[in-house]
């Protein structure tokens, strides 16, 4: 049966072979799919060659919420960067040049920065943008115009209002453009799609418009009646007066503003017209200043004296600050541009933070001086000697820090102990064959302890100029206030006079040859007096005459502001130069 089953298969196969051999096998037509594949094969191969193969990825497409969050983040960051870089305008407000800027803030409001005094904060509006106003400087020409034509003060309020409105309008446009450009640029860098970048810019514009609307809706015009002070203004609000009275009695405020502008203008004019003196080539010139008390006009006076008297070194016997806060440290930036090396010792109104700030300036000025740029700054303390302009100086900072009446002073015993420590350092230098030429301290009680160890000692603190030959032969020179009593000078009817001295020392022996006492009228007084003094053979413990017989002495009259008059030398010496009594620094 197996054989029978296999036969039909063999027969079928044999028949197929016979038909193929005879050519009777029917042909099958190709299918349409195969024909299409054959015709398109060259094009498919070319397309595959030009098109990269798709890559497999396990990442899920970004969720719409994530895309929206990223867009918002890019918009906020870009708008903030735009405001930071270009969201500020410089605009004048009355006689003051200001810089206005918009900054992101959670609380809004307005901050008026009055450097170096501190800041005044106003709760003016509620919006995610804060208005910062920096008072840069007083424009001398506009201030002088107000002084020369007092009738212009009547329109000062309207002028200031117009200036503020114009400045804020310009600031709003500039800030909106800066925010849109910042968001769009950052969107192109991060999102990498022009459409999304434009969406970020549009969102930034919408946010700025909404913030402006919120500020407009929540604007509080009474916020100026309830300001918050920070920095020095917190501890000395009397400097700027009561904000309530300024708003309610604006006419009185205008008069006070005019008087203040007049005083400052006259002081600057007086300093710039001081007579010059040309000492001999064998003389070393030292400018002694003290008790500036945060008066910025003092720097201009010092620069004028340095230039006109060709000063070799400036010695500041302290109380450069008023309260010794870190907010005041920016006031020290001027010491590197006074035109001569600057030597400083700490006073009782200068804190340890103040001294660190001066030491930082000393380190920076040292690098600049080695590169041939600028003058050196030096700090004297602990009796460590310093060689400056051919002189060997040593001093010690005031042991007390009494910025206001809330601190109980330790009194003279603390000064005597500190002075004795300075005297020990001076004896060590003398024994080593490197004697000190000038001892420097802030309080005269401290400086007196150097008697017999140095030929000259300098001090300040009392705001009264005095010169005394001590029992040991040391000449103690106490300087008045180069800052005219500081910011408090605008409060008194007759402010303290501005005092400084130019000391002439022999270049060979470093001994005092003569000194000029320079006295300027206080704020509001346009007068200047320069009196020449020569050392004499006064007995120890007595004060020498201010102008011995035969010594040259001048008391030139300086022209007042707005008067075209020449200075003419006076006749004989006017006698001792005294300052109005003032409270010690």
């Amino acid at each position: 049966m197996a054989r029978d089953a296999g036969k039909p298969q063999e027969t079928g196969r044999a028949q197929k072979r016979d038909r193929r051999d005879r050519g009777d096998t029917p042909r099958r037509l190709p299918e349409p799919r195969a024909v299409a594949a054959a015709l398109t094969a060259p094009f498919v191969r070319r397309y595959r060659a030009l098109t990269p193969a798709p890559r497999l990825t396990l990442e899920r497409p970004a969720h719409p919420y994530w895309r929206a969050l990223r867009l918002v983040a890019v918009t906020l960051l870009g708008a903030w960067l735009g405001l930071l870089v270009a969201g500020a305008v410089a605009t004048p407000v009355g006689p003051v040049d200001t810089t206005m800027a918009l900054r992101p803030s959670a609380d809004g409001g307005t901050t008026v920065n009055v450097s170096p005094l501190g800041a005044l904060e106003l709760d003016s509006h509620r919006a995610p943008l804060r208005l910062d106003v920096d008072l840069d400087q007083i424009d001398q020409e506009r201030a002088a115009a107000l002084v020369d034509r007092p009738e212009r003060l009547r329109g000062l309020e309207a002028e200031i209002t117009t200036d503020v409105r114009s400045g804020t309008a310009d600031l709003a446009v500039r800030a909106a453009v800066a925010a849109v450009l910042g968001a769009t640029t950052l969107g192109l860098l991060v999102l990498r799609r022009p459409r999304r970048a434009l969406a970020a810019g549009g969102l930034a514009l919408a946010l700025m418009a909404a913030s402006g609307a919120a500020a407009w809706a929540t604007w509080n015009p009474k916020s100026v009646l309830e300001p918050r002070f920070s920095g020095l203004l917190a501890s000395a609000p009397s400097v700027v007066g009561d904000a309530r009275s300024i708003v309610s009695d604006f006419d009185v405020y205008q008069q006070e503003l005019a008087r203040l502008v007049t005083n400052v203008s006259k002081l600057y004019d007086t300093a710039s017209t001081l007579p010059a003196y040309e000492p001999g080539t064998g003389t070393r010139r030292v400018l002694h200043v003290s008790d500036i008390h945060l008066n910025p006009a003092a720097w201009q006076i010092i620069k004028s004296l340095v230039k006109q008297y060709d000063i070799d070194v400036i010695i500041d016997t302290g109380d450069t600050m008023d309260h010794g806060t870190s907010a005041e440290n920016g006031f020290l930036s001027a010491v590197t541009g006074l035109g001569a090396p600057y030597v400083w010792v700490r006073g009782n109104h200068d804190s340890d933070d103040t001294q660190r700030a001066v030491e930082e300036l000393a380190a920076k000025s040292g690098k600049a001086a080695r590169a041939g740029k600028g003058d050196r700054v030096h700090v004297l303390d602990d009796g460590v000697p310093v060689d400056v302009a051919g002189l060997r100086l040593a001093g010690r900072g005031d042991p007390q820090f009494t910025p206001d009446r809330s601190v109980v002073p330790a009194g003279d015993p603390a000064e005597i102990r500190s002075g004795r420590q300075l005297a020990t350092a001076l004896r060590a230098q003398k024994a080593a064959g490197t004697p000190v030429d000038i001892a420097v301290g802030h309080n005269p009680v401290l400086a007196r302890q150097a008697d017999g160890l140095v030929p000259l000692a300098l001090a300040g603190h009392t705001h009264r100029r005095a010169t005394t030959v001590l029992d040991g032969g040391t000449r103690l020179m106490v300087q008045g206030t180069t800052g005219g009593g500081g910011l408090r000078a605008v409060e008194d009817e007759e402010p303290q006079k501005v005092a400084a001295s130019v000391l002439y020392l022999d270049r060979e022996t470093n001994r005092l040859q003569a000194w000029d006492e320079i006295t300027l009228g206080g704020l509001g007084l346009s007068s200047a007096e320069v009196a020449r003094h020569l050392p004499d053979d006064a007995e120890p413990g007595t004060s020498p005459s201010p102008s011995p017989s035969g010594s040259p002495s001048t008391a030139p009259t300086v022209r007042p502001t707005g008067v075209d008059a020449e200075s003419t030398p006076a006749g004989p010496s006017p006698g001792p130069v005294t300052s109005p009594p003032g409270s010690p620094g």
Side-chain angles (χ1 to χ4, degrees):
M1 294 178 64
R3 293 177 180 176
D4 296 340
K7 287 180 179 181
Q9 295 179 355
E10 293 178 356
T11 302
R13 292 175 180 174
Q15 291 175 355
K16 290 180 180 180
R17 283 196 298 270
D18 293 342
R19 287 197 299 270
R20 188 172 58 248
D21 293 341
R22 294 194 300 267
D24 297 337
T25 304
R27 296 184 177 180
R28 300 178 58 184
L29 295 176
E31 297 181 359
R33 184 179 299 176
V35 175
L39 294 175
T40 59
F43 300 99
V44 172
R45 287 194 298 268
R46 188 175 182 181
Y47 174 78
R48 290 178 177 176
L50 296 176
T51 305
R55 293 179 297 179
L56 297 178
T57 178
L58 298 178
E59 296 181 0
R60 293 182 178 181
H63 196 278
Y65 292 143
W66 168 245
R67 291 181 180 177
L69 181 61
R70 186 169 60 172
L71 177 63
V72 171
V74 169
T75 300
L76 294 177
L77 181 59
W80 178 77
L81 292 175
L83 291 176
L84 190 64
V85 173
V89 294
T91 180
V93 177
V96 181
D97 293 332
T98 69
T99 300
M100 296 183 180
L102 287 177
R103 295 291 182 260
S105 173
D107 300 328
T110 299
T111 301
V112 181
N113 298 307
V114 189
S115 179
L117 303 179
L120 176 66
E121 298 180 0
L122 305 176
D123 190 13
S124 58
H125 62 277
R126 293 288 182 180
L129 290 177
R130 183 184 72 250
L131 175 62
D132 286 351
V133 181
D134 295 333
L135 304 184
D136 297 331
Q137 62 181 359
I138 296 179
D139 187 279
Q140 292 292 322
E141 295 183 359
R142 296 200 300 271
L146 289 175
V147 174
D148 296 337
R149 301 182 63 181
E151 65 273 8
R152 292 187 177 183
L153 291 175
R154 298 178 181 177
L156 183 60
E157 181 180 6
E159 179 184 352
I160 290 176
T161 303
T162 303
D163 291 342
V164 171
R165 289 178 178 175
S166 177
T168 52
D170 294 343
L171 176 62
V173 175
R174 185 182 182 91
V177 173
V180 171
L181 290 179
T184 304
T185 303
L186 188 63
L188 287 174
L189 295 175
V190 176
L191 304 177
R192 298 185 178 182
R193 291 188 180 183
R195 184 175 298 177
R196 294 184 180 179
L198 292 176
L203 182 58
L205 181 59
L207 290 176
M208 292 295 295
S211 300
W216 181 270
T218 60
W219 180 255
N220 179 20
K222 297 182 180 180
S223 59
V224 70
L225 298 177
E226 299 177 353
R228 296 188 301 273
F229 301 100
S230 61
L232 287 181
L233 296 180
S235 54
S238 60
V239 174
V240 295
D242 188 353
R244 295 179 182 272
S245 63
I246 289 177
V247 175
S248 58
D249 301 325
F250 191 80
D251 292 338
V252 178
Y253 171 63
Q254 288 183 139
Q255 297 174 7
E256 295 299 316
L257 175 63
R259 188 167 63 90
L260 177 60
V261 171
T262 304
N263 294 341
V264 174
S265 300
K266 287 184 177 181
L267 180 57
Y268 271 72
D269 182 79
T270 298
S272 63
T273 56
L274 286 176
Y277 172 78
E278 295 293 340
T281 57
T283 303
R284 183 172 285 114
R285 295 160 296 278
V286 177
L287 178 61
H288 181 199
V289 300
S290 186
D291 296 84
I292 294 176
H293 284 291
L294 213 66
N295 187 348
W299 298 131
Q300 184 69 17
I301 295 172
I302 293 174
K303 289 177 65 176
S304 176
L305 295 176
V306 167
K307 182 178 180 180
Q308 297 184 48
Y309 283 81
D310 195 16
I311 298 297
D312 294 307
V313 59
I314 305 166
I315 299 179
D316 186 347
T317 48
D319 270 6
T320 310
M321 300 304 192
D322 221 347
H323 292 80
T325 62
S326 58
E328 298 171 274
N329 290 342
F331 179 73
L332 298 168
S333 60
V335 302
T336 57
L338 297 177
Y342 178 83
V343 181
W344 180 85
V345 69
R346 186 180 69 249
N348 63 294
H349 282 258
D350 304 319
S351 64
D352 292 335
D353 185 65
T354 303
Q355 179 159 326
R356 284 190 293 269
V358 181
E359 289 171 348
E360 291 178 1
L361 288 176
K364 294 179 181 178
S365 67
K367 297 179 181 178
R370 286 190 291 271
K373 301 178 181 179
D375 298 302
R376 290 289 302 270
V377 176
H378 304 270
V379 176
L380 299 180
D381 202 5
D382 298 328
V384 178
V386 174
D387 294 325
V388 186
L391 294 171
R392 193 164 181 82
L393 311 175
R396 188 174 180 86
D398 200 293
Q400 306 182 74
F401 177 52
T402 54
D404 50 49
R405 297 180 180 178
S406 64
V407 180
V408 179
D412 290 347
E415 302 291 341
I416 294 175
R417 287 193 299 269
S418 184
R420 289 175 177 173
Q421 294 174 353
L422 173 60
T424 300
L426 296 176
R427 290 192 188 93
Q429 290 296 319
K430 196 171 185 178
T434 56
V436 173
D437 299 312
I438 303 177
V440 184
H442 176 65
N443 196 309
V445 177
L446 185 154
R448 279 179 174 271
Q449 310 310 311
D451 185 22
L453 300 174
V454 291
L456 181 62
L458 303 181
H461 181 65
T462 63
H463 293 196
R464 299 180 183 180
R465 180 189 282 137
T467 301
T468 306
V469 177
L470 303 177
D471 294 337
T474 296
R475 183 180 296 273
L476 174 62
M477 305 186 75
V478 180
Q479 189 56 267
T481 166
T482 310
L487 296 174
R488 290 182 292 267
V490 299
E491 298 178 349
D492 300 332
E493 286 295 329
E494 187 177 357
Q496 300 178 44
K497 295 182 178 181
V498 175
S501 298
V502 178
L503 315 181
Y504 304 102
L505 288 78
D506 184 83
R507 287 188 179 273
E508 298 294 333
T509 63
N510 287 333
R511 293 286 175 165
L512 183 66
Q513 294 178 321
W515 70 94
D516 285 346
E517 292 181 346
I518 302 169
T519 306
L520 306 181
L523 292 175
L525 302 177
S526 181
S527 63
E529 183 180 87
V530 182
R532 174 67 48 77
H533 303 278
L534 296 177
D536 58 0
D537 298 328
E539 295 295 329
T542 62
S543 178
S545 59
S547 182
S549 176
S551 65
S553 178
T554 60
T557 302
V558 179
R559 64 179 177 88
T561 304
V563 178
D564 189 9
E566 296 181 355
S567 300
T568 57
S573 171
V577 177
T578 58
S579 299
S583 59

